[in-house]
Amino acid sequence: MSSSDSLSRRLLLKALAAAPAIPALLGTTIAQAETPTPLASWNDGPAKRAILDFVRATTDRASPSFVPQEERIATFDQDGTLWVEQPIYSQVIYCLDRVPSLVKAKPELANVEPFKTVMTGNLEAIGKLPLSDLEKLIAATVTGMSVDEFRAEVTAWIPKAKNKRWNRPYTDLTYLPMQEVLSYFRANGYKTYIVTGGGQDFVRVYSGKVYGIPVEQVVGSPGGTSYGYGKDGKPFLTKVPKLLLNDNNAGKPEGIHEMIGRRPYAAFGNSTGDQQMLEYTKAGDGVRLSMLVLHDDATREYAYGPAQGLPESKVGTFTQALYDEATKGGWFVISMKNDWRRIFPFE
Amino acid sequence: MSSSDSLSRRLLLKALAAAPAIPALLGTTIAQAETPTPLASWNDGPAKRAILDFVRATTDRASPSFVPQEERIATFDQDGTLWVEQPIYSQVIYCLDRVPSLVKAKPELANVEPFKTVMTGNLEAIGKLPLSDLEKLIAATVTGMSVDEFRAEVTAWIPKAKNKRWNRPYTDLTYLPMQEVLSYFRANGYKTYIVTGGGQDFVRVYSGKVYGIPVEQVVGSPGGTSYGYGKDGKPFLTKVPKLLLNDNNAGKPEGIHEMIGRRPYAAFGNSTGDQQMLEYTKAGDGVRLSMLVLHDDATREYAYGPAQGLPESKVGTFTQALYDEATKGGWFVISMKNDWRRIFPFE
């Protein structure tokens, strides 16, 4: 490299440093220069190697599996893949937390199920409520208000609500190794999407701050909205109790097609609800990457399956059949215990 | 500016020239340097001035109405706003064109409506088919195949199908002034979306080539898909006759919320089907831009309304009430006749 090339390069890097969105567009050279140790929280092993190999194969212009930047899509399940899902999904906690103020506003609800049971605070009894009651609970707590009111309510709840085991906000409990995967993919020109069974509007409230993922790259289970006018004549959208798409199982590839319109090149999940997304991703042409996070670390996080003889769990089921499909289909299973040197950013 | 600043700037500009996607991220200074005459096909007047003023107000960091780049969303109706919609929507032509090969594959359809009438080629009779027959036609021609097959069929159709008046492919009949608006918005850090009542999968086939808009930025009326497995065991998505969203009228802001999750800062339309999108856009905080294309140029394109006494039309109705709402609400009406110096790129 000549000295003027070197100067040019330094000046360019300096300019780029001031514009954080740019490095991704310049491809791997600068991105790698700025990320000297990608996946620093990962132990060396087949999972880490699979990620590095995949990104190199699809972003190196000399590679036969090179993928043009506009087609680089990577999708990530959220609960259990990007952050802790035990003992219960954070969004369910949100719905439960909303009940007291709901009952305060409409006291007649105090004697009506499922609100009556929820008000007792007895988590075991709440866990036994029938599905129809849970649907009533969701309808009552996340619909009937404007999308702006909902956003404001969730925004206010997020910093106050805490996971009891770690005594930290849920948004602190993201997996550092997966945050590194998100950054690494983006630094290499991939658009990263969350594809979650959770409520789309809920996840969008914090996706930017927590994962660096903009709202338009969150594909979830979207609730319907209804367009109308306020007393001031101004139009607004009201959240209505209508599920537009159940973004689980077959709903994940269907939702990906509707919302993104491209088959992902890489997909990450952790449960049977992610099976179809990972199959669909892996079945595409060229080199594709499908990975499953296995929760096998009871000490640092949780251990549940029932794959590999781990205890069954009410949320995030990872069956032995799914494990076998991963092995057979050339997916990779990420062992939290063995593949992750650190789990949480705060450790 | 010192001479080393000047060198730095020249080197940066050189590096940027090699990476065309970058200038947008650096804001207005460089973008304007590279676009010496934005909106070159527009005549000076209130419409052109409104666009220039809006972009300056929302992208100049010193402006009280500055909008951070991640929130810069501009939405564009397609038919009648970005390209010609007369005498009939191109997608309807596509469905009609598909009928002969459909009847060839299933000869029993030749005596069944609406296929019988379509096979006569009598456009007047076809135009009188009831809505239920048109729905049958759409179901038969755009569903029942895999999403990959559909994409391949439309891709093959596009270059062959021609508009009779101009004897050119439909994709040639985009409005140059609107292409300039798309480029100008993108050069200033806006994400441009198509928000169309047309079939989402249909428009996605050519949106990149024709408008520079990637598939994930096309919001249309999405048809449902169904996940399944082929004989080879490989998963694929089949298009099914289920409309997930009617992306017209109130469906436009509802679809924008579902698919993008942000209220646009600017929106462009041309008919009553765009009214709610324009109202919703204009009702947001800060400076917003809502614009309607009025087809008042019978010589160079078409003239239809019935706003301003123009003849009524079966497609793209622009009522006097819509015109009045535009005036009252501070929207801008674009007169094709007066505001556009050139209409088509091929002129």
Side-chain angles (χ1 to χ4, degrees), chain A residues 9 66 91-92 145 181 190-191 200 205 219 222 242 245 272 285 300 335:
Chain A
R9 190 172 165 76
F66 176 77
Q91 194 179 353
V92 176
M145 72 285 285
V181 172
Y190 272 87
K191 253 190 185 174
Q200 186 166 279
V205 172
V219 177
K242 183 186 167 193
L245 172 84
T272 50
D285 295 335
R300 294 187 300 168
S335 159

Side-chain angles (χ1 to χ4, degrees), chain A residues 218-229:
Chain A
V218 174
V219 177
S221 294
T225 58
S226 173
Y227 184 81
Y229 303 88

Side-chain angles (χ1 to χ4, degrees), chain B residues 20 77 85 107 112 114 122 134 137 152 190 244 275 287 289 315 317 333:
Chain B
D77 169 58
E85 65 183 348
V112 178
N122 181 338
L134 289 177
L137 193 65
Y190 273 87
L244 300 181
Q275 178 183 330
V287 173
L289 180 69
V315 295
T317 308
V333 174

Side-chain angles (χ1 to χ4, degrees), chain A residues 191 200 227 229 258 279, chain B residues 200 216 227 229 258 279:
Chain A
K191 253 190 185 174
Q200 186 166 279
Y227 184 81
Y229 303 88
E258 185 194 348
E279 285 172 355
Chain B
Q200 186 166 281
E216 61 268 33
Y227 185 82
Y229 302 88
E258 184 194 348
E279 286 172 354

Side-chain angles (χ1 to χ4, degrees), chain A:
Chain A
M1 189 184 268
S2 76
S3 70
S4 81
D5 274 346
S6 163
L7 173 65
S8 158
R9 190 172 165 76
R10 261 186 295 129
L11 289 166
L12 177 61
L13 283 169
K14 197 174 163 188
L16 290 171
I22 293 180
L25 296 171
L26 292 182
T28 51
T29 318
I30 285 174
Q32 285 171 355
E34 295 204 343
T35 318
T37 318
L39 311 183
S41 303
W42 290 68
N43 289 319
D44 288 331
K48 178 177 181 176
R49 205 155 48 236
I51 299 169
L52 296 174
D53 287 349
F54 167 81
V55 169
R56 194 178 316 112
T58 56
T59 61
D60 179 348
R61 287 195 168 271
S63 159
S65 312
F66 176 77
V67 176
Q69 183 164 324
E70 65 270 23
E71 292 175 28
R72 293 184 204 156
I73 302 287
T75 56
F76 297 80
D77 168 59
Q78 182 191 229
D79 295 299
T81 299
L82 294 179
W83 74 358
V84 173
E85 65 183 349
Q86 297 290 352
I88 189 168
Y89 302 125
S90 313
Q91 194 179 353
V92 176
I93 307 278
Y94 174 76
C95 292
L96 298 177
D97 281 0
R98 291 289 306 145
V99 169
S101 66
L102 209 68
V103 169
K104 201 176 167 191
K106 293 184 191 173
E108 66 274 21
L109 292 179
N111 297 312
V112 179
E113 289 298 357
F115 309 99
K116 194 176 164 184
T117 298
V118 172
M119 288 300 283
T120 65
N122 181 338
L123 278 177
E124 200 170 331
I126 294 168
K128 285 181 187 154
L129 287 169
L131 189 63
S132 58
D133 270 351
L134 289 178
E135 284 170 356
K136 268 184 221 163
L137 193 64
I138 291 170
T141 52
V142 309
T143 73
M145 72 285 285
S146 76
V147 300
D148 292 336
E149 283 163 357
F150 177 74
R151 191 184 302 119
E153 281 174 6
V154 179
T155 303
W157 178 81
I158 289 281
K160 286 185 294 185
K162 285 187 179 174
N163 173 296
K164 291 212 174 83
R165 173 167 165 190
W166 284 277
N167 193 31
R168 285 180 174 272
Y170 297 101
T171 48
D172 279 9
L173 299 175
T174 66
Y175 306 131
L176 180 60
M178 292 307 295
Q179 292 275 18
E180 292 170 355
V181 172
L182 288 172
S183 301
Y184 184 60
F185 271 80
R186 289 196 289 259
N188 284 283
Y190 272 87
K191 253 190 185 174
T192 55
Y193 282 80
I194 290 175
V195 177
T196 173
Q200 186 166 279
D201 283 347
F202 184 82
V203 178
R204 279 174 167 174
V205 172
Y206 56 83
S207 64
K209 235 181 201 168
V210 173
Y211 304 114
I213 292 180
V215 295
E216 60 269 33
Q217 286 165 225
V218 174
V219 177
S221 294
T225 58
S226 173
Y227 184 81
Y229 303 88
K231 282 182 191 156
D232 57 1
K234 280 203 172 184
F236 68 99
L237 293 168
T238 302
K239 286 176 71 64
V240 295
K242 183 186 167 193
L243 188 63
L244 300 181
L245 172 84
N246 181 356
D247 198 38
N248 278 303
N249 304 104
K252 289 212 173 189
E254 292 165 6
I256 286 169
H257 180 72
E258 185 194 348
M259 304 280 288
I260 310 175
R262 304 184 195 269
R263 194 191 292 247
Y265 272 83
F268 293 76
N270 79 303
S271 80
T272 50
D274 302 312
Q275 179 184 331
Q276 289 83 351
M277 173 170 77
L278 298 178
E279 285 172 355
Y280 178 65
T281 298
K282 192 69 187 169
D285 295 335
V287 173
R288 310 266 170 163
L289 180 68
S290 288
M291 300 192 89
L292 277 166
V293 174
L294 178 67
H295 295 260
D296 57 357
D297 193 329
T299 312
R300 294 187 300 168
E301 203 242 14
Y302 291 95
Y304 52 103
Q308 306 295 85
L310 297 167
E312 292 208 25
S313 160
K314 272 196 178 179
V315 295
T317 308
F318 190 142
T319 61
Q320 188 60 39
L322 183 64
Y323 194 100
D324 295 342
E325 184 178 346
T327 313
K328 209 182 70 184
W331 312 358
F332 287 86
V333 174
I334 299 162
S335 159
M336 292 184 81
K337 195 172 170 179
N338 301 320
D339 287 314
W340 290 357
R341 201 164 55 77
R342 269 175 73 187
I343 292 190
F344 297 110
F346 56 78
E347 275 173 15

